[in-house]
Amino acid sequence: MTENTQQQTAATTELPTQYMPAEVEGPLYERWVERGYFEADEKSDKPPYTIVIPPPNVTGSLHLGHAFEHTLIDALTRRKRMQGYETLWQPGMDHAGIATQNVVERELAKEGKSRHDLGREAFVERVWKWKAESGGQISGQMRRLGDGVAWSRERFTMDEGLSQAVQTIFKKLYDDELIYRAERIINWCPRCLTAISDIEVEYQDDDGELVSIRYGEGDASIVVATTRAETMLGDTAVAVHPEDERYKHLVGTEIELPLTGRRIPVVADAHVDPEFGTGAVKVTPAHDPNDFEIGQRHNLPSIAVMDEHAVITVHGPFQGLDRLEARSAIVAALRADGRIVAEKRPYTHSVGHCSRCKTTIEPRLSMQWWVKVGPLAKAAGDAVRDGKVKIHPQEMEKRYFDWVDNLHDWCISRQLWWGHRIPVWYGPNGEVVCVGPDEQPPAGEGWYQDTDVLDTWFSSGLWPFSTLGWPEQTESLKKFYPNSVLVTGYDILFFWVARMMMFGLYAMDGTPPFHTIALHGMVRDQNGKKMSKSFGNVVNPLDWMDQYGSDAVRFTLANGANPGVDVPIGEDWVKASRNFANKIWNATRFALMNGATIEGELPPVEQLSATDRWILSRLNKTVAQVDALYEDYQFAKLSDALYHFAWDEVFDWYVELSKTTFFAGGEQAKVSGRVLGEVLDVMLRLLHPIVPFVTDALWTTLTGRESLVIAEWPKDSGFRDDAAEAEIENLQQVVTEVRRFRADQGLQPGQKVPARLDLTGTALAPHEAAIRQLLRLQPEGEGFAATASLPVAGATVSLDLSGTIDVAAERKRLAKDLAAAEKEKAQAEGKLGNEAFLAKAPDNVVDKIRTRLAKADEDIARIRTQLERLPQA
């Protein structure tokens, strides 16, 4: 045994014979953290590379969407760290106002209490206590996944520094008259008892009823239709289009509002569509955003008919009823009064629901705080139009512009206790004072602070710079702002991305918060269906990590990540990725046992075999390909390229082709061992950002060095050898074709067959021993009779099958298969040639028949080739 072989054997003894992710991943991650690999130094002279984590809710736990997004971000940051960048992946969590308050209120309810029993101060203390004890379990789960975040920099949107940032920007916006207080229609959740923004409303088709109601009498009557009859109690007008001839005689007059005894005007407004329904609409300014706008244009009063719980507060007979109860009672009363002209039920229509608790949203007139988004949204749109910020994939730009170019003022106040309290004080004589972080609030009798808190998205909109110490001009802010890229789902393009763009440009003197917005899709089940508890298809990624390892989950997610496109995922795919991790482990272990090494320089080209030159050429092309795909955020394509390079080219071909060299020993074996070591070294570096655990465990064993996390990213050396690649491709054709023939004849993979190889005129002569080994071909012996000959890639492989198969039985079997394929073809051609059938058959049925015909043609060609190659019986 040579000294080199002894070293390699010793190295492999450090590797268990089987890869056990549970024994490797946890200890390895803790070692990375303890050594500070993921921390970032603002004093470093390395170029910065910054990504913020989309802050998960403090109430949350790791779901597949998190695992997917974190895998992509981790891959980017690990690669950049290896490329020599001062890399910061900024971690932290969002206080999640409504969600967190709901969690703690549910806990109190178990004790028979409400937040009002505790009072505001004690309730907020209770939330902080819950956060300390139960919140943030996702941090531990992120470690399981392998997230390389700078843990020492972890932030929380309610911590002291971020609270100062929130108060600072509120004051600045207020002073610049970009924040104001006004009574407007908002989305109100009667369950959460707070306003919510438009983007926090989920619309779904609900079954309701559409009733047509006659207002007024005789010629002075108008029919209006509504799905919310209970709001008619607050009607203050009926509106028609100014050019609608049917109602011109009524415009400017008043008609009686049923059940109430009130008289309301008929107004002309261009908002009304004369072609829809009766061309007349009821106007309820206090309970509908469009009606509110009509009311503003015509100076109509606003009559609120429901309280914060959606309980009717007006008109005796219905007062105290829930809105749904009131709807039925009012329709019944109108019917009894002869006012119902038509009823349609069920009537399916789109209804808004609270994204947190799924309660039906109630539009409600309310005094709230607003951000005047006009100038902020324009700046956010211009930053993309001017090329300061790139959106990837580019086709997502249209969705971004559709949003920011049509943005309504943003309601930022929430009627909650948990969150950043609005820094405005009211005085006894109507004074209003906005207080900055370094200012003392006014004191004295009659002064009190606004009771509302800010929308959670207000504080998370500051995330790219507040986490770096803003408003202080810290060294971290100077080094790491703006972020290099934002990786996030297209589903929060409006929730979060637009907010960060507006606030970043405003607070940071026109500097956008990131250079690139890389949008990814949503994780779905293997059938492309949205994951939902109601569908029963939600997967806990931790279960898959326990069973298959974190690398397997990561690789599966990355392998499905096409930019901006949803990602289907199923357990079978995770199993396949587990098999890939095992293949990397086992093949690397085998390679180490057979001479793979990184010791010394690579041998000069003239000492390399064609096989060595081929794999080095393929290696460098793969490095260049992977680099280009990373820069284009093509995770699926780069993962696929790495998979096929590692499994197909390195393990299935190079290692197998080199076995004869390794077994023979000598100088050429040392050369190939050094080449294989080089290939493994680079391959493991390329794979590391996506599958960090298995690669680091193998690479440190191979190289004896500290960790792949801090290793250098491979560079394309420029070495190419097209001639060697063509030579090995021909070899692969020979092996693949003969293997296919053997399989067609029913030969077992390990069954040996006498064969003659005619390699004259090809470059394959040096590979005869490898070809014979790969194909289990024995030398032709005495009495050799070539019963089948296969011409492939300029070579001819002649096989003696006389002692291996029953030729007559094989011909009989193939003849039967051929007859079946020809019958299938005739049936398919008959149907496709029948004009009457084609005229009636659905497209999908016709497509299936065409597919059957194509398959039959393929089978016929394949079987005939097999018969031709068989010796005569």
Side-chain angles (χ1 to χ4, degrees), residues 45 51 125-126 167 187 195 239 259 269 272 314-315 352 355 428 495 520 549 569 636 645 662 684 709 714 717 779:
D45 57 3
I51 296 181
E125 286 180 8
R126 177 73 177 256
Q167 197 171 352
N187 302 300
L259 304 182
D269 195 281
V272 179
V314 299
H315 201 68
S355 62
F495 283 88
H520 58 71
I569 184 171
F645 175 72
F662 290 140
L684 291 170
V709 180
S717 72

PDB file of all heavy atoms in Angstrom, residues 45 51 125-126 167 187 195 239 259 269 272 314-315 352 355 428 495 520 549 569 636 645 662 684 709 714 717 779:
ATOM      1  N   ASP A  45     -12.639  45.753   4.961  1.00  0.00           N
ATOM      2  CA  ASP A  45     -12.463  46.440   3.677  1.00  0.00           C
ATOM      3  C   ASP A  45     -12.970  45.591   2.509  1.00  0.00           C
ATOM      4  O   ASP A  45     -12.819  45.959   1.345  1.00  0.00           O
ATOM      5  CB  ASP A  45     -10.992  46.813   3.451  1.00  0.00           C
ATOM      6  CG  ASP A  45     -10.068  45.595   3.499  1.00  0.00           C
ATOM      7  OD1 ASP A  45     -10.569  44.467   3.656  1.00  0.00           O
ATOM      8  OD2 ASP A  45      -8.839  45.781   3.377  1.00  0.00           O
ATOM      9  N   ILE A  51     -28.339  41.135   2.741  1.00  0.00           N
ATOM     10  CA  ILE A  51     -29.722  40.690   2.531  1.00  0.00           C
ATOM     11  C   ILE A  51     -30.403  40.708   3.889  1.00  0.00           C
ATOM     12  O   ILE A  51     -29.830  40.245   4.880  1.00  0.00           O
ATOM     13  CB  ILE A  51     -29.795  39.268   1.946  1.00  0.00           C
ATOM     14  CG1 ILE A  51     -29.180  39.212   0.545  1.00  0.00           C
ATOM     15  CG2 ILE A  51     -31.235  38.780   1.889  1.00  0.00           C
ATOM     16  CD1 ILE A  51     -29.244  37.837  -0.102  1.00  0.00           C
ATOM     17  N   GLU A 125     -47.567  44.132  29.081  1.00  0.00           N
ATOM     18  CA  GLU A 125     -46.570  43.366  29.840  1.00  0.00           C
ATOM     19  C   GLU A 125     -46.780  41.868  29.653  1.00  0.00           C
ATOM     20  O   GLU A 125     -45.818  41.097  29.545  1.00  0.00           O
ATOM     21  CB  GLU A 125     -46.662  43.721  31.332  1.00  0.00           C
ATOM     22  CG  GLU A 125     -46.097  45.091  31.679  1.00  0.00           C
ATOM     23  CD  GLU A 125     -46.218  45.406  33.168  1.00  0.00           C
ATOM     24  OE1 GLU A 125     -46.611  44.490  33.938  1.00  0.00           O
ATOM     25  OE2 GLU A 125     -45.918  46.544  33.550  1.00  0.00           O
ATOM     26  N   ARG A 126     -48.038  41.468  29.595  1.00  0.00           N
ATOM     27  CA  ARG A 126     -48.359  40.054  29.397  1.00  0.00           C
ATOM     28  C   ARG A 126     -47.879  39.586  28.016  1.00  0.00           C
ATOM     29  O   ARG A 126     -47.382  38.467  27.857  1.00  0.00           O
ATOM     30  CB  ARG A 126     -49.870  39.856  29.547  1.00  0.00           C
ATOM     31  CG  ARG A 126     -50.378  38.440  29.302  1.00  0.00           C
ATOM     32  CD  ARG A 126     -50.010  37.491  30.433  1.00  0.00           C
ATOM     33  NE  ARG A 126     -50.580  36.170  30.203  1.00  0.00           N
ATOM     34  CZ  ARG A 126     -51.650  35.697  30.839  1.00  0.00           C
ATOM     35  NH1 ARG A 126     -52.268  36.439  31.766  1.00  0.00           N
ATOM     36  NH2 ARG A 126     -52.097  34.481  30.588  1.00  0.00           N
ATOM     37  N   GLN A 167     -40.585  56.116  15.626  1.00  0.00           N
ATOM     38  CA  GLN A 167     -41.003  57.430  16.102  1.00  0.00           C
ATOM     39  C   GLN A 167     -40.362  58.541  15.277  1.00  0.00           C
ATOM     40  O   GLN A 167     -40.987  59.565  14.978  1.00  0.00           O
ATOM     41  CB  GLN A 167     -40.636  57.580  17.583  1.00  0.00           C
ATOM     42  CG  GLN A 167     -41.372  58.718  18.270  1.00  0.00           C
ATOM     43  CD  GLN A 167     -41.178  58.714  19.772  1.00  0.00           C
ATOM     44  OE1 GLN A 167     -40.616  57.785  20.341  1.00  0.00           O
ATOM     45  NE2 GLN A 167     -41.635  59.771  20.430  1.00  0.00           N
ATOM     46  N   ASN A 187     -61.409  49.376   6.068  1.00  0.00           N
ATOM     47  CA  ASN A 187     -61.798  47.975   6.248  1.00  0.00           C
ATOM     48  C   ASN A 187     -61.765  47.677   7.744  1.00  0.00           C
ATOM     49  O   ASN A 187     -60.722  47.808   8.381  1.00  0.00           O
ATOM     50  CB  ASN A 187     -60.814  47.047   5.532  1.00  0.00           C
ATOM     51  CG  ASN A 187     -60.709  47.339   4.054  1.00  0.00           C
ATOM     52  OD1 ASN A 187     -61.687  47.260   3.331  1.00  0.00           O
ATOM     53  ND2 ASN A 187     -59.509  47.689   3.612  1.00  0.00           N
ATOM     54  N   ALA A 195     -59.003  48.486  12.334  1.00  0.00           N
ATOM     55  CA  ALA A 195     -58.902  48.709  10.895  1.00  0.00           C
ATOM     56  C   ALA A 195     -57.812  47.799  10.349  1.00  0.00           C
ATOM     57  O   ALA A 195     -56.847  47.473  11.034  1.00  0.00           O
ATOM     58  CB  ALA A 195     -58.538  50.169  10.620  1.00  0.00           C
ATOM     59  N   ALA A 239     -78.329  57.234  -6.424  1.00  0.00           N
ATOM     60  CA  ALA A 239     -77.558  57.863  -7.498  1.00  0.00           C
ATOM     61  C   ALA A 239     -77.865  57.202  -8.830  1.00  0.00           C
ATOM     62  O   ALA A 239     -78.052  55.981  -8.913  1.00  0.00           O
ATOM     63  CB  ALA A 239     -76.065  57.771  -7.201  1.00  0.00           C
ATOM     64  N   LEU A 259     -89.028  51.970   5.363  1.00  0.00           N
ATOM     65  CA  LEU A 259     -88.874  51.563   6.766  1.00  0.00           C
ATOM     66  C   LEU A 259     -88.464  52.697   7.703  1.00  0.00           C
ATOM     67  O   LEU A 259     -88.604  52.578   8.911  1.00  0.00           O
ATOM     68  CB  LEU A 259     -87.858  50.412   6.923  1.00  0.00           C
ATOM     69  CG  LEU A 259     -88.112  49.128   6.120  1.00  0.00           C
ATOM     70  CD1 LEU A 259     -87.038  48.095   6.438  1.00  0.00           C
ATOM     71  CD2 LEU A 259     -89.498  48.557   6.404  1.00  0.00           C
ATOM     72  N   ASP A 269     -74.571  61.085 -10.826  1.00  0.00           N
ATOM     73  CA  ASP A 269     -73.124  60.924 -10.624  1.00  0.00           C
ATOM     74  C   ASP A 269     -72.572  60.006 -11.707  1.00  0.00           C
ATOM     75  O   ASP A 269     -73.115  58.929 -11.969  1.00  0.00           O
ATOM     76  CB  ASP A 269     -72.829  60.326  -9.244  1.00  0.00           C
ATOM     77  CG  ASP A 269     -71.375  60.480  -8.861  1.00  0.00           C
ATOM     78  OD1 ASP A 269     -70.529  59.684  -9.355  1.00  0.00           O
ATOM     79  OD2 ASP A 269     -71.066  61.377  -8.069  1.00  0.00           O
ATOM     80  N   VAL A 272     -71.876  55.997 -11.622  1.00  0.00           N
ATOM     81  CA  VAL A 272     -72.898  54.962 -11.775  1.00  0.00           C
ATOM     82  C   VAL A 272     -72.843  54.399 -13.198  1.00  0.00           C
ATOM     83  O   VAL A 272     -72.766  55.136 -14.174  1.00  0.00           O
ATOM     84  CB  VAL A 272     -74.302  55.527 -11.483  1.00  0.00           C
ATOM     85  CG1 VAL A 272     -75.361  54.446 -11.673  1.00  0.00           C
ATOM     86  CG2 VAL A 272     -74.358  56.110 -10.082  1.00  0.00           C
ATOM     87  N   VAL A 314     -79.226  51.760  15.061  1.00  0.00           N
ATOM     88  CA  VAL A 314     -80.292  52.729  14.749  1.00  0.00           C
ATOM     89  C   VAL A 314     -81.587  52.000  14.460  1.00  0.00           C
ATOM     90  O   VAL A 314     -81.613  50.777  14.238  1.00  0.00           O
ATOM     91  CB  VAL A 314     -79.909  53.603  13.533  1.00  0.00           C
ATOM     92  CG1 VAL A 314     -78.651  54.402  13.812  1.00  0.00           C
ATOM     93  CG2 VAL A 314     -79.725  52.741  12.280  1.00  0.00           C
ATOM     94  N   HIS A 315     -82.678  52.764  14.451  1.00  0.00           N
ATOM     95  CA  HIS A 315     -84.004  52.320  14.025  1.00  0.00           C
ATOM     96  C   HIS A 315     -84.510  51.166  14.887  1.00  0.00           C
ATOM     97  O   HIS A 315     -84.205  49.995  14.639  1.00  0.00           O
ATOM     98  CB  HIS A 315     -83.994  51.927  12.545  1.00  0.00           C
ATOM     99  CG  HIS A 315     -85.379  51.953  11.947  1.00  0.00           C
ATOM    100  ND1 HIS A 315     -86.073  53.125  11.758  1.00  0.00           N
ATOM    101  CD2 HIS A 315     -86.193  50.966  11.539  1.00  0.00           C
ATOM    102  CE1 HIS A 315     -87.246  52.849  11.233  1.00  0.00           C
ATOM    103  NE2 HIS A 315     -87.352  51.531  11.097  1.00  0.00           N
ATOM    104  N   GLY A 352     -64.970  40.351   1.051  1.00  0.00           N
ATOM    105  CA  GLY A 352     -63.699  40.513   1.734  1.00  0.00           C
ATOM    106  C   GLY A 352     -63.711  39.913   3.130  1.00  0.00           C
ATOM    107  O   GLY A 352     -64.693  40.040   3.867  1.00  0.00           O
ATOM    108  N   SER A 355     -57.688  38.716   6.815  1.00  0.00           N
ATOM    109  CA  SER A 355     -56.679  37.692   6.544  1.00  0.00           C
ATOM    110  C   SER A 355     -56.221  36.994   7.811  1.00  0.00           C
ATOM    111  O   SER A 355     -55.684  35.899   7.755  1.00  0.00           O
ATOM    112  CB  SER A 355     -55.469  38.315   5.832  1.00  0.00           C
ATOM    113  OG  SER A 355     -54.853  39.294   6.648  1.00  0.00           O
ATOM    114  N   PRO A 428     -56.219  69.601  26.206  1.00  0.00           N
ATOM    115  CA  PRO A 428     -57.582  69.895  26.684  1.00  0.00           C
ATOM    116  C   PRO A 428     -58.319  70.907  25.823  1.00  0.00           C
ATOM    117  O   PRO A 428     -59.547  70.982  25.860  1.00  0.00           O
ATOM    118  CB  PRO A 428     -57.343  70.410  28.099  1.00  0.00           C
ATOM    119  CG  PRO A 428     -55.934  70.912  28.100  1.00  0.00           C
ATOM    120  CD  PRO A 428     -55.189  70.032  27.171  1.00  0.00           C
ATOM    121  N   PHE A 495     -47.583  44.306   0.070  1.00  0.00           N
ATOM    122  CA  PHE A 495     -47.560  44.454   1.521  1.00  0.00           C
ATOM    123  C   PHE A 495     -46.274  45.135   1.978  1.00  0.00           C
ATOM    124  O   PHE A 495     -46.293  46.100   2.727  1.00  0.00           O
ATOM    125  CB  PHE A 495     -47.574  43.065   2.198  1.00  0.00           C
ATOM    126  CG  PHE A 495     -48.899  42.388   2.233  1.00  0.00           C
ATOM    127  CD1 PHE A 495     -49.317  41.586   1.195  1.00  0.00           C
ATOM    128  CD2 PHE A 495     -49.721  42.530   3.329  1.00  0.00           C
ATOM    129  CE1 PHE A 495     -50.526  40.928   1.245  1.00  0.00           C
ATOM    130  CE2 PHE A 495     -50.932  41.875   3.397  1.00  0.00           C
ATOM    131  CZ  PHE A 495     -51.334  41.076   2.348  1.00  0.00           C
ATOM    132  N   HIS A 520     -39.858  35.370  -5.911  1.00  0.00           N
ATOM    133  CA  HIS A 520     -40.088  33.943  -6.131  1.00  0.00           C
ATOM    134  C   HIS A 520     -41.570  33.641  -5.966  1.00  0.00           C
ATOM    135  O   HIS A 520     -42.356  34.483  -5.529  1.00  0.00           O
ATOM    136  CB  HIS A 520     -39.253  33.100  -5.159  1.00  0.00           C
ATOM    137  CG  HIS A 520     -39.522  33.380  -3.716  1.00  0.00           C
ATOM    138  ND1 HIS A 520     -40.691  33.009  -3.074  1.00  0.00           N
ATOM    139  CD2 HIS A 520     -38.774  34.014  -2.763  1.00  0.00           C
ATOM    140  CE1 HIS A 520     -40.644  33.375  -1.811  1.00  0.00           C
ATOM    141  NE2 HIS A 520     -39.497  34.001  -1.593  1.00  0.00           N
ATOM    142  N   GLY A 549     -33.314  14.682   6.342  1.00  0.00           N
ATOM    143  CA  GLY A 549     -32.195  15.606   6.475  1.00  0.00           C
ATOM    144  C   GLY A 549     -32.507  16.967   5.870  1.00  0.00           C
ATOM    145  O   GLY A 549     -33.293  17.080   4.920  1.00  0.00           O
ATOM    146  N   ILE A 569     -44.071  20.749  -4.615  1.00  0.00           N
ATOM    147  CA  ILE A 569     -43.144  19.909  -3.854  1.00  0.00           C
ATOM    148  C   ILE A 569     -43.912  18.730  -3.268  1.00  0.00           C
ATOM    149  O   ILE A 569     -45.042  18.878  -2.807  1.00  0.00           O
ATOM    150  CB  ILE A 569     -42.444  20.720  -2.729  1.00  0.00           C
ATOM    151  CG1 ILE A 569     -41.411  19.859  -2.010  1.00  0.00           C
ATOM    152  CG2 ILE A 569     -43.450  21.297  -1.750  1.00  0.00           C
ATOM    153  CD1 ILE A 569     -40.547  20.649  -1.037  1.00  0.00           C
ATOM    154  N   ALA A 636     -33.379  26.805  -9.895  1.00  0.00           N
ATOM    155  CA  ALA A 636     -33.765  25.486 -10.400  1.00  0.00           C
ATOM    156  C   ALA A 636     -32.765  24.991 -11.438  1.00  0.00           C
ATOM    157  O   ALA A 636     -32.334  23.833 -11.402  1.00  0.00           O
ATOM    158  CB  ALA A 636     -35.168  25.548 -10.999  1.00  0.00           C
ATOM    159  N   PHE A 645     -24.157  17.064 -13.153  1.00  0.00           N
ATOM    160  CA  PHE A 645     -22.701  17.008 -13.190  1.00  0.00           C
ATOM    161  C   PHE A 645     -22.185  16.030 -12.134  1.00  0.00           C
ATOM    162  O   PHE A 645     -21.349  15.173 -12.421  1.00  0.00           O
ATOM    163  CB  PHE A 645     -22.096  18.396 -12.965  1.00  0.00           C
ATOM    164  CG  PHE A 645     -20.588  18.365 -12.888  1.00  0.00           C
ATOM    165  CD1 PHE A 645     -19.827  18.140 -14.027  1.00  0.00           C
ATOM    166  CD2 PHE A 645     -19.936  18.529 -11.672  1.00  0.00           C
ATOM    167  CE1 PHE A 645     -18.439  18.082 -13.961  1.00  0.00           C
ATOM    168  CE2 PHE A 645     -18.552  18.471 -11.596  1.00  0.00           C
ATOM    169  CZ  PHE A 645     -17.805  18.246 -12.745  1.00  0.00           C
ATOM    170  N   PHE A 662      -7.182   3.133 -11.419  1.00  0.00           N
ATOM    171  CA  PHE A 662      -6.880   3.012  -9.993  1.00  0.00           C
ATOM    172  C   PHE A 662      -6.438   1.589  -9.644  1.00  0.00           C
ATOM    173  O   PHE A 662      -5.490   1.390  -8.884  1.00  0.00           O
ATOM    174  CB  PHE A 662      -8.111   3.392  -9.157  1.00  0.00           C
ATOM    175  CG  PHE A 662      -8.451   4.850  -9.183  1.00  0.00           C
ATOM    176  CD1 PHE A 662      -9.772   5.263  -9.256  1.00  0.00           C
ATOM    177  CD2 PHE A 662      -7.453   5.806  -9.157  1.00  0.00           C
ATOM    178  CE1 PHE A 662     -10.096   6.612  -9.286  1.00  0.00           C
ATOM    179  CE2 PHE A 662      -7.773   7.167  -9.192  1.00  0.00           C
ATOM    180  CZ  PHE A 662      -9.094   7.572  -9.261  1.00  0.00           C
ATOM    181  N   LEU A 684     -17.793  19.997  -4.495  1.00  0.00           N
ATOM    182  CA  LEU A 684     -18.352  20.200  -3.153  1.00  0.00           C
ATOM    183  C   LEU A 684     -18.497  21.689  -2.845  1.00  0.00           C
ATOM    184  O   LEU A 684     -19.450  22.108  -2.182  1.00  0.00           O
ATOM    185  CB  LEU A 684     -17.477  19.518  -2.106  1.00  0.00           C
ATOM    186  CG  LEU A 684     -17.491  17.984  -2.153  1.00  0.00           C
ATOM    187  CD1 LEU A 684     -16.418  17.396  -1.236  1.00  0.00           C
ATOM    188  CD2 LEU A 684     -18.863  17.428  -1.776  1.00  0.00           C
ATOM    189  N   VAL A 709     -17.594  26.777   4.676  1.00  0.00           N
ATOM    190  CA  VAL A 709     -18.280  28.056   4.843  1.00  0.00           C
ATOM    191  C   VAL A 709     -17.342  29.215   4.529  1.00  0.00           C
ATOM    192  O   VAL A 709     -17.760  30.234   3.967  1.00  0.00           O
ATOM    193  CB  VAL A 709     -18.846  28.196   6.272  1.00  0.00           C
ATOM    194  CG1 VAL A 709     -19.570  29.527   6.436  1.00  0.00           C
ATOM    195  CG2 VAL A 709     -19.798  27.051   6.593  1.00  0.00           C
ATOM    196  N   PRO A 714     -15.092  28.504  -6.187  1.00  0.00           N
ATOM    197  CA  PRO A 714     -14.258  28.112  -7.332  1.00  0.00           C
ATOM    198  C   PRO A 714     -14.359  29.087  -8.490  1.00  0.00           C
ATOM    199  O   PRO A 714     -15.388  29.736  -8.697  1.00  0.00           O
ATOM    200  CB  PRO A 714     -14.804  26.740  -7.719  1.00  0.00           C
ATOM    201  CG  PRO A 714     -16.092  26.586  -7.024  1.00  0.00           C
ATOM    202  CD  PRO A 714     -16.153  27.545  -5.897  1.00  0.00           C
ATOM    203  N   SER A 717     -11.140  28.125 -14.525  1.00  0.00           N
ATOM    204  CA  SER A 717      -9.731  28.293 -14.911  1.00  0.00           C
ATOM    205  C   SER A 717      -9.577  28.586 -16.389  1.00  0.00           C
ATOM    206  O   SER A 717      -8.492  28.971 -16.840  1.00  0.00           O
ATOM    207  CB  SER A 717      -8.941  27.025 -14.567  1.00  0.00           C
ATOM    208  OG  SER A 717      -9.292  25.963 -15.449  1.00  0.00           O
ATOM    209  N   PRO A 779     -13.407 -11.143 -22.967  1.00  0.00           N
ATOM    210  CA  PRO A 779     -12.668 -11.262 -24.243  1.00  0.00           C
ATOM    211  C   PRO A 779     -13.271 -12.395 -25.073  1.00  0.00           C
ATOM    212  O   PRO A 779     -13.816 -13.357 -24.533  1.00  0.00           O
ATOM    213  CB  PRO A 779     -11.242 -11.583 -23.791  1.00  0.00           C
ATOM    214  CG  PRO A 779     -11.179 -11.168 -22.365  1.00  0.00           C
ATOM    215  CD  PRO A 779     -12.551 -11.352 -21.802  1.00  0.00           C
TER     216      PRO A 779
END
